[in-house]
Amino acid sequence: MQAAYIEEFGPPGAIRHGALPAPLPGPADVLVDTLAVSVNPVDTFVRAGTWRTRLSFPFVIGRDLVGTVAAVGSGAAGFSVGDLVWCNSLGHDGRQGAAAEQAVVPVERLYHLADTVRPVDAVAVLHPAATGYLALFTHGRLRAGETVLVAGAAGNVGSAMVVLAVEAGARVLATARPEDAEYCLGLGATAVVDYRDPGLPERVRDLSPHGVDLFVDTSGHNDLPVAVDLLAFRGRVVLLAGLRSRPVLPVGPLYLKDGSVTGFVISRATTCELADAARTLNRLLATGRLRARTVEEQPLSGAAEAHARLERGELHGRRVVLLPDRVR
């Protein structure tokens, strides 16, 4: 089978495209014929060795796929050959990745997808939307009626968060560039503040005088003094980006508010947590409410260039989806 893979850690140029042996599923696995694979920032961390995880070379890159079931292990109940399915947790912790014509998926990490949803549309949002779901609800404990500030709301994770929070009955304040304000408002945000505005804290206080219940910064800037200052009583800050950031934590103001700061990575989410997210994602995908802003389709052989563009910061609000040749 054709695959995008690495034989050692390195820059985007380390990615090869060529033939590898077809994977063999075990009893609790499902073999999937890949239709579409997305490119995520975390994929670049694994490829470069920045995010260390258990793997073996040659290593197929990529986390997310949409495909059809090709074969089902004897202990993998709930799926049949031909089913349209998706997964967003391959490519780490000993699992080979998604960027190949076929992939083996543990049954507890595989989910059905409605036949009415285009594979390209679905795969483009799976990782950012699941990340957003876990940040908001699993770790941020967001409830209907609360106010959440989403910093970087026009990005892939941020925009998914706006949709998810609004659908759950929360009030969303967004920070973004002025040119992205209309987009964020269209997703359901109550107000949008320019993230470069030096008066941002005052603007947010005007919009939410009692503070925000949840503060999530998808950009990785992680300005904790501002975040903690804007929290309401028992407000929460969730950290999910900024691998190299080292912000100062204002401990006194945080504990006087009964506040909390929580960090998480989706790579360590349990299968139960991922399944919870999948139920909501499937519902919103089926209704068309959850969609990527812009999707660009590329061949599987373009994986190295896609990684390079992502690392150069050229994909603002754009999702690259890789397609095997048999699909294109």
Side-chain angles (χ1 to χ4, degrees):
M1 69 169 184
Q2 295 295 304
Y5 63 94
I6 57 173
E7 295 178 313
E8 61 182 0
F9 297 121
I15 299 175
R16 304 284 180 256
H17 178 258
L20 289 179
L24 299 175
D29 297 327
V30 177
L31 181 66
V32 176
D33 288 330
T34 305
L35 296 174
V37 177
S38 62
V39 178
N40 301 295
V42 69
D43 300 340
T44 70
F45 301 153
V46 173
R47 183 216 72 231
T50 307
W51 169 257
R52 289 291 181 172
T53 184
R54 184 166 56 94
L55 56 80
S56 59
F57 296 111
F59 175 71
V60 176
I61 62 173
R63 293 288 182 100
D64 312 342
L65 64 76
V66 172
T68 56
V69 173
V72 180
S74 59
F79 295 93
S80 301
V81 172
D83 286 352
L84 188 63
V85 292
W86 64 271
C87 175
N88 66 339
S89 56
L90 295 181
H92 69 104
D93 196 26
R95 294 183 291 279
Q96 286 286 333
E101 290 182 310
Q102 288 189 316
V104 166
V105 183
V107 68
E108 71 272 15
R109 295 177 180 272
L110 192 66
Y111 316 106
H112 290 280
L113 181 66
D115 292 338
T116 55
V117 181
R118 292 180 65 238
V120 168
D121 293 337
V123 81
V125 298
L126 296 178
H127 200 80
T131 301
Y133 180 94
L134 294 173
L136 292 171
F137 306 111
T138 304
H139 299 280
R141 307 187 307 279
L142 185 66
R143 299 183 295 271
E146 290 192 321
T147 296
V148 54
L149 189 149
V150 178
N156 297 312
V157 175
S159 59
M161 277 190 184
V162 175
V163 171
L164 289 163
V166 169
E167 289 288 324
R171 176 173 179 252
V172 178
L173 306 181
T175 73
R177 301 184 302 181
E179 54 267 38
D180 291 324
E182 184 177 350
Y183 172 65
C184 294
L185 292 170
L187 295 174
T190 297
V192 182
V193 180
D194 184 352
Y195 73 89
R196 296 168 295 190
D197 185 347
L200 184 149
E202 290 72 26
R203 292 285 313 281
V204 174
R205 287 191 198 95
D206 290 341
L207 293 164
S208 190
H210 299 293
V212 300
D213 301 291
L214 179 61
F215 186 108
V216 187
D217 184 353
T218 68
S219 73
H221 183 59
N222 297 326
D223 189 340
L224 291 183
V226 169
V228 171
D229 183 54
L230 292 174
L231 286 185
F233 176 66
R234 292 191 175 172
R236 292 86 66 195
V237 178
V238 173
L239 307 178
L240 54 81
L243 190 62
R244 297 178 180 85
S245 67
R246 298 293 185 271
V248 174
L249 176 64
V251 173
L254 179 68
Y255 78 69
L256 288 174
K257 290 184 174 183
D258 279 10
S260 66
V261 177
T262 301
F264 90 99
V265 289
I266 191 173
S267 299
R268 291 199 172 100
T270 67
T271 53
C272 290
E273 290 169 345
L274 292 171
D276 285 342
R279 283 187 283 271
T280 296
L281 267 57
N282 273 338
R283 176 172 57 82
L284 296 179
L285 284 167
T287 62
R289 182 75 174 96
L290 193 59
R291 294 179 64 88
R293 187 175 187 178
T294 307
V295 177
E296 176 184 326
E297 299 178 13
Q298 293 292 337
L300 193 61
S301 58
E305 179 58 22
H307 274 228
R309 291 171 62 200
L310 184 58
E311 292 184 342
R312 292 195 297 263
E314 298 175 2
L315 299 179
H316 175 74
R318 179 183 296 270
R319 296 287 282 162
V320 173
V321 172
L322 306 175
L323 306 177
D325 287 343
R326 61 176 174 73
V327 176
R328 301 183 83 243

